[in-house]
Amino acid sequence: MRKKLIAGNWKMNLDWNEAMTLFAELIQYEKSNDTHADIAVFPPSLYLRHFYELAQDRKSSISVGAQDCSAQVKGAYTGELAASMIHSVGAKYCLVGHSERREYHRESNDILSEKVERLLEADIIPVFCCGESLADRDSDNQTFVIDNQLDGTIFELSTEQFEKIVIAYEPVWAIGTGKTAHPEQAQDMHAFIRGLVHSKYGESVASNTRILYGGSMKPKNAKELLSQPDVDGGLIGGASLKRDDFSAIIKACSRS
Ligand code: PEP
């Protein structure tokens, strides 16, 4: 049985005081409600250690994750953060291949594969993002694009490695645009991805792999998206910056 994962990607938002306030409020929410999902917050990496310690002190089950890591192990790479460093400050997860990294930093399949390797070596769960652009969707190329994004990266992993991966399907045209995939569109793509995992790694791995949906998930559409059989949670940008919206999305995860 796949437990849902609700993950908040804060991107480059919130200063220290704002971030501390929001994280403390989320802990408060999680402690005082019967939640049925795993919850993770991906703040700017500068805040990770503090968030981790706060969650530990308050006996909260909220995990923290980084938004990116270096493809290198260590050394003279100014400004980069190694996966081992991210692990050492308490992160459980790290995003890889978010569409903003692919677009603004030209991250290729080769770079993403290296990052996934570094994360697995460091015992961090990669949340591997994939998704088609609007042009790809308009020309009905979405399955081809996703196939290519997975084939050249996480489908190179051994079964043992792959079992640690979380996939996030994020149609680029839905990220931060207020346009959401219809629940049936999301379900179709998630079922397609699970089918690819099945062909590559077999039934048991496919049925255990968590596939999150990301792209303008909000309180008003969360329930329908999250009740699709192959949608195992959400990667949430904008709505994760508001306590009430993020907690409403967590609440939309029914017991399953
Ligand atoms: C994201 O950036 O991963 C995302 C899904 O953003 P938003 O929820 O704002 O569309």
Side-chain angles (χ1 to χ4, degrees):
M1 186 55 76
R2 299 183 298 269
K3 188 174 182 190
K4 291 208 175 2
L5 170 62
I6 298 296
N9 174 14
W10 288 7
K11 310 191 184 186
M12 198 172 71
N13 291 299
L14 307 182
D15 68 18
W16 173 252
N17 289 331
E18 292 164 336
M20 282 304 298
T21 303
L22 178 56
F23 192 65
E25 286 173 349
L26 292 176
I27 289 180
Q28 175 66 31
Y29 173 83
E30 181 261 337
K31 301 280 310 160
S32 46
N33 286 274
D34 189 15
T35 53
H36 302 300
D38 290 333
I39 304 167
V41 169
F42 293 69
S45 289
L46 205 54
Y47 309 157
L48 279 172
R49 181 69 194 175
H50 207 84
F51 279 25
Y52 172 74
E53 285 177 356
L54 192 64
Q56 294 283 301
D57 283 355
R58 307 233 174 131
K59 301 202 175 0
S60 166
S61 61
I62 300 183
S63 305
V64 292
Q67 298 172 16
D68 182 43
C69 72
S70 174
Q72 309 298 331
V73 177
K74 64 174 182 175
Y77 300 99
T78 303
E80 296 278 278
L81 293 176
S84 56
M85 296 168 183
I86 292 168
H87 180 259
S88 72
V89 295
K92 178 172 179 180
Y93 300 98
C94 183
L95 304 182
V96 188
H98 189 280
S99 65
E100 288 150 16
R101 302 281 322 168
R102 290 177 191 263
E103 184 182 351
Y104 306 139
H105 300 271
R106 302 264 173 268
E107 292 191 347
S108 62
N109 278 357
D110 288 348
I111 294 280
L112 299 179
S113 297
E114 290 294 326
K115 292 189 177 196
V116 168
E117 287 283 348
R118 296 295 85 75
L119 290 168
L120 292 173
E121 287 160 10
D123 209 14
I124 295 188
I125 299 171
V127 177
F128 188 86
C129 305
C130 58
E132 79 283 358
S133 67
L134 185 59
D136 292 323
R137 169 65 64 168
D138 284 347
S139 43
D140 208 21
N141 266 339
Q142 60 275 16
T143 52
F144 174 80
V145 170
I146 300 300
D147 205 353
N148 181 267
Q149 290 175 344
L150 302 182
D151 221 16
T153 54
I154 53 175
F155 281 179
E156 305 277 312
L157 297 171
S158 67
T159 303
E160 201 195 328
Q161 289 176 311
F162 187 86
E163 283 173 328
K164 305 198 172 99
I165 302 282
V166 173
I167 297 174
Y169 168 63
E170 299 208 294
V172 180
W173 47 271
I175 296 180
T177 58
K179 285 187 197 154
T180 317
H182 294 301
E184 312 76 56
Q185 280 176 319
Q187 169 55 26
D188 283 354
M189 290 306 290
H190 283 232
F192 169 74
I193 292 168
R194 200 176 304 286
L196 294 177
V197 176
H198 186 282
S199 320
K200 183 82 191 163
Y201 295 101
E203 168 61 30
S204 151
V205 175
S207 63
N208 285 320
T209 300
R210 291 208 273 200
I211 308 175
L212 315 183
Y213 169 81
S216 299
M217 190 183 275
K218 308 280 177 209
K220 67 174 185 308
N221 57 30
K223 183 106 201 154
E224 229 189 324
L225 285 161
L226 291 167
S227 54
Q228 300 302 312
D230 286 293
V231 176
D232 306 316
L235 178 56
I236 296 122
S240 71
L241 297 169
K242 297 183 190 137
R243 187 215 32 208
D244 290 352
D245 285 2
F246 195 56
S247 47
I249 294 172
I250 294 166
K251 201 169 172 191
C253 293
S254 49
R255 196 188 296 275
S256 56

